[in-house]
Structures are given as C-alpha cells and as structure tokens.
Amino acid sequence: MIRFYFHPTPNPAKVALLLEELGLAYEVVPIDTSKGEQHTPEFRAINPNGKVPAIVDTEGPGGGDARVFDSSAILLYLGEKTGRFIGTPVDRPELLSWLFFIGTGLGPFSGQAVHFQYAAPDDNEYAVNRYRREIERHYQVLDDRLSGRDYIVGDDYSIVDMSAWGWLDRAPRVMKGEADPLAAFPNLKRWFQTIDARPAVLRARAVGKDHAFKKELDEQARRALFPSNYLKSAD
Ligand SMILES: N[C@@H](CCC(=O)N[C@@H](CS)C(=O)NCC(=O)O)C(=O)O
C-alpha cells in the first residue's frame, strides 16, 4: 500500500496522475501546507525538505516501509517498481534527461513565476520578466522536442509526460494574463491536449477534493509557505 502525502499543487499532481494510471492501491494523507503541516516532526521524518509530494510504500525494497520524497524520485521509484511508463532500456538516457529538465528547470521557474506574480510584495518587474522569459524558453525547448512526436520520450506515454503535465496544466496561472498561454507552442499544445484527455487525468484531478484545504494567503499561510521571509539576518 502507498501512503500519498498530498496537497492540490503541481508537484503532487504528477504523482496523483501516475498512481491513477497504475491503478495502485493508495491512501491520500492531506498535508495542508498553508497551515504549516509540512513542518511537523512527523512529516519531516518522511520528507526532511518539508514539501509535498512524498510517499511511504509499506512494501518497500527491504520488505517494510520505504519513504520517497521529491516528485521526480517518486515517479521513477513507482515506474521502476511496476516496470511501467519508463520506456525501453534504449529510452533510458532520454528519460533521465527530460525528467531532470522538467524537475530542475520547468518546475522551479514556474514556481518562482507564481510566487512573484501572486505572493511577493512590491514591484517585481525584474523577477517576473526573468521567470516568465525562462518559462517561455522551456516551453520552446519542449515544443521543438515534440515536433513530429506524440510523447516527450520514445514512442509511448511515460512518467516524463506526467511530470510535464503537472506544470503545463498550470500554464494559465504561471503565465498570468495570457488567455491561451500555449498558443505560440503548437506542438506542446497538441501534446498537452492529448495527455489532458486521458481518463486518469480526470481521476487525478479529483484526488483530495474531499478535503477542505486552506485557500487564504493570510499571515499563517505566509509564515508556513515562506518562512525565510521571517528569519532575521545574522548582521
Ligand atoms: N522538488 C520538489 C518540489 C516540491 C515543492 O516545491 N512542493 C510544493 C508544492 S508544488 C510545496 O510543498 N510547497 C509548500 C512549501 O514550500 O512549504 C518536487 O518536485 O517534489
């Protein structure tokens, strides 16, 4: 059984999609990051980085509990455990390359764009411009890659497509004010529409809907989500 530590945000969404594609038995454990539940000692024992997603596999490689944190690690772990959605051995170099490209590039740049457009105080023109231009650059790299291809790696749908879907699904929020943020990237838009039409996407979107996650970005949420803003400098 898999315990899935979840909040309705892009990185957990990737894992929700894989779990639904795999049809594995899993239990959702809501972590309300706006209330600071990512900072409890119990959760830190599962993810020392204090972020979602994380999982505990009660049938880990040693026969007992195994924790896995970071969405890319979880996608790889579950893909390898089941032998599904990880392409062929020939695909492996591309699979790793694109998975890391999304996990270390598209994801963090998108997250920073959201932060500076919706959460940060003051005028952030420089930061917003930098992150939005970087996102467009990443979209272009993916658009070029998808020219004449159905999926990002190999001939089949894989964990790489699921990883990218988690962030592309949020393109309208990330590219605030753009009515059709993928319009300039036709291959990426076609790919997104194909992935988004999968039945498992519908089920993944329903994950956590029975839980009332906090929505307000009030003082409690700001302290929970942006603790570094409340640290005093040493000098
Ligand atoms: N590299 C991590 C990033 C995880 C991450 O940033 N998760 C966000 C939600 S998408 C989170 O937990 N935010 C709450 C916080 O930072 O306190 C991954 O891919 O899982």
Side-chain angles (χ1 to χ4, degrees), residues 9-12 14 33 38-39 50-53 70-72 167 224-225:
T9 33
N11 289 306
K14 308 168 183 178
T33 54
Q38 70 275 43
H39 303 306
K51 292 187 188 289
V52 283
D70 199 287
S71 58
S72 303
W167 278 106
L225 294 169

Side-chain angles (χ1 to χ4, degrees), residues 113-227:
V114 169
H115 179 82
F116 283 104
Q117 292 176 109
Y118 298 92
D122 309 325
D123 171 25
N124 296 293
E125 197 184 330
Y126 177 90
V128 170
N129 183 64
R130 170 168 166 73
Y131 292 123
R132 285 182 65 129
R133 295 294 87 79
E134 272 299 311
I135 292 156
E136 286 167 356
R137 195 181 65 73
H138 280 73
Y139 285 1
Q140 190 61 57
V141 172
L142 284 170
D143 192 68
D144 292 345
R145 170 67 180 172
L146 285 162
S147 170
R149 308 181 62 88
D150 290 334
Y151 301 108
I152 299 172
V153 172
D155 295 330
D156 294 312
Y157 176 54
S158 77
I159 55 173
V160 173
D161 299 297
M162 298 179 209
S163 181
W165 171 83
W167 278 106
L168 267 306
D169 188 41
R170 300 301 173 102
R173 180 161 167 80
V174 170
M175 300 301 283
K176 187 179 179 184
E178 299 262 350
D180 186 0
L182 299 187
F185 310 96
N187 300 310
L188 188 56
K189 185 169 175 172
R190 164 186 46 81
W191 164 91
F192 178 75
Q193 287 169 338
T194 304
I195 306 298
D196 205 50
R198 294 182 67 89
V201 164
L202 209 59
R203 299 196 297 274
R205 286 193 202 285
V207 170
K209 287 279 191 244
D210 53 348
H211 186 84
F213 287 96
K214 178 173 173 163
K215 293 218 166 52
E216 308 76 49
L217 189 55
D218 59 9
E219 182 68 7
Q220 180 198 36
R222 287 182 182 278
R223 283 185 179 273
L225 294 169
F226 318 127

